[in-house]
Amino acid sequence: MADGMLVVLSAPSGCGKTTILKRVMSDLPGLVFSVSHTTRSPRAGEKNGRDYFFVDHHEFKALRDRQPSGFLEWAEVHGNLYGTGRRGVEEQRAAGLDVILDIDVQGAEQVRRAADPVTVFIAPPSLDELGRRLRGRGSEDEQTVALRLSNAKQEMQAAADYDYFIVNDVLDEAVESLRSILIAERLRRRRTLSGQSIDLEF
Ligand code: ADP
Ligand code: 5GP
């Protein structure tokens, strides 16, 4: 069985990435979400092992500094540490599942160097709208919202390095765009795996 593909999804915080991803995953079989490790505190409603593995700095560093590293990639984002566990990703891909990494632009760059991912950047329609969404979510205090907005400007600079660019203005359209990308990439990779010349017998 061929390995599943690795899909990297990045977006400024509050842009709607989680909302889009949940919708796409609910009706496209064969996709799994890679649950990251983080030192940030859980938000209301977040569950350990489902949204993140919530760990302290000591646990995070032990995983990171293992040889070989327990992380496929890791980064400090908005003052917290985040990392993608290497083993889980490898096992799921080996089982033929397409693995989605919801990671920041620094992590995306590390994955590009280590593997051959499909990379997708999701942008908000404007910085003002991003601010409204972040505040509307109500999960961060004003200082955290300000930090995430100022980081968003920097993150947007990396958008050109991604294979695909989606603007999340109308939610239904953004969901359909991501779904289409995943279906097309599956077909493209299947064709490449089956060899250069395609023998068709009619
Ligand atoms: P992220 O995962 O990128 O941090 P979320 O998925 O948590 O962002 O979305 C942030 C907020 O924006 C949520 O309250 C969500 O309901 C809202 N949202 C997402 N997409 C849209 C959209 N297209 N139009 C308006 N609001 C949206
Ligand atoms: P949040 O705290 O809003 O869940 O996530 C903040 C940022 O961290 C988002 O940009 C998200 O994509 C990123 N992030 C989440 N998990 C990881 C990870 O494992 N590695 C990296 N590099 N970034 C991550």
Side-chain angles (χ1 to χ4, degrees):
M1 184 200 302
D3 277 7
M5 57 184 184
L6 199 53
V7 181
V8 168
L9 215 57
S10 301
S13 178
C15 171
K17 184 178 44 181
T18 309
T19 309
I20 295 170
L21 197 49
K22 280 191 179 147
R23 290 263 303 267
V24 171
M25 290 189 72
S26 70
D27 77 340
L28 196 61
L31 279 179
V32 281
F33 178 71
S34 161
V35 180
S36 293
H37 292 69
T38 184
T39 59
R40 111 159 139 63
S41 314
R43 293 183 188 128
E46 281 185 332
K47 216 172 130 191
N48 189 39
R50 183 192 65 190
D51 301 288
Y52 280 106
F53 294 109
F54 294 99
V55 294
D56 60 25
H57 278 76
H58 179 75
E59 286 174 273
F60 191 96
K61 286 178 178 157
L63 270 168
R64 183 193 64 188
D65 297 339
R66 224 186 244 174
Q67 284 303 330
S69 174
F71 292 134
L72 176 62
E73 63 72 39
W74 71 273
E76 183 174 337
V77 192
H78 315 312
N80 298 302
L81 298 171
Y82 294 85
T84 301
R86 182 189 299 279
R87 213 176 62 197
V89 169
E90 284 172 358
E91 286 173 359
Q92 287 173 321
R93 291 186 72 196
L97 295 166
D98 295 331
V99 182
I100 307 243
L101 309 185
D102 166 351
I103 61 178
D104 86 314
V105 298
Q106 305 167 77
E109 185 51 35
Q110 294 170 46
V111 176
R112 264 190 215 102
R113 276 189 250 120
D116 176 29
V118 177
T119 58
V120 183
F121 193 93
I122 303 178
S126 67
L127 211 54
D128 281 352
E129 173 61 15
L130 183 65
R132 275 191 289 278
R133 287 184 194 171
L134 266 175
R135 293 186 177 97
R137 187 166 70 186
S139 53
E140 276 93 7
D141 59 28
E142 190 49 38
Q143 197 184 352
T144 308
V145 168
L147 175 67
R148 287 179 178 234
L149 281 176
S150 92
N151 288 346
K153 290 187 211 162
Q154 235 177 317
E155 287 161 348
M156 290 294 297
Q157 304 296 316
D161 299 334
Y162 285 68
D163 300 322
Y164 297 96
F165 182 74
I166 298 174
V167 177
N168 178 23
D169 187 357
V170 178
L171 182 61
D172 283 349
E173 288 176 12
V175 168
E176 203 42 40
S177 297
L178 181 60
R179 200 179 125 77
S180 305
I181 289 166
L182 296 175
I183 293 170
E185 282 291 338
R186 279 181 175 171
L187 295 171
R188 188 173 72 81
R189 284 169 189 243
R190 194 181 303 159
R191 171 189 174 277
T192 311
L193 284 171
S194 68
Q196 293 303 318
S197 64
I198 301 174
D199 290 328
L200 295 175
E201 287 181 32
F202 285 104

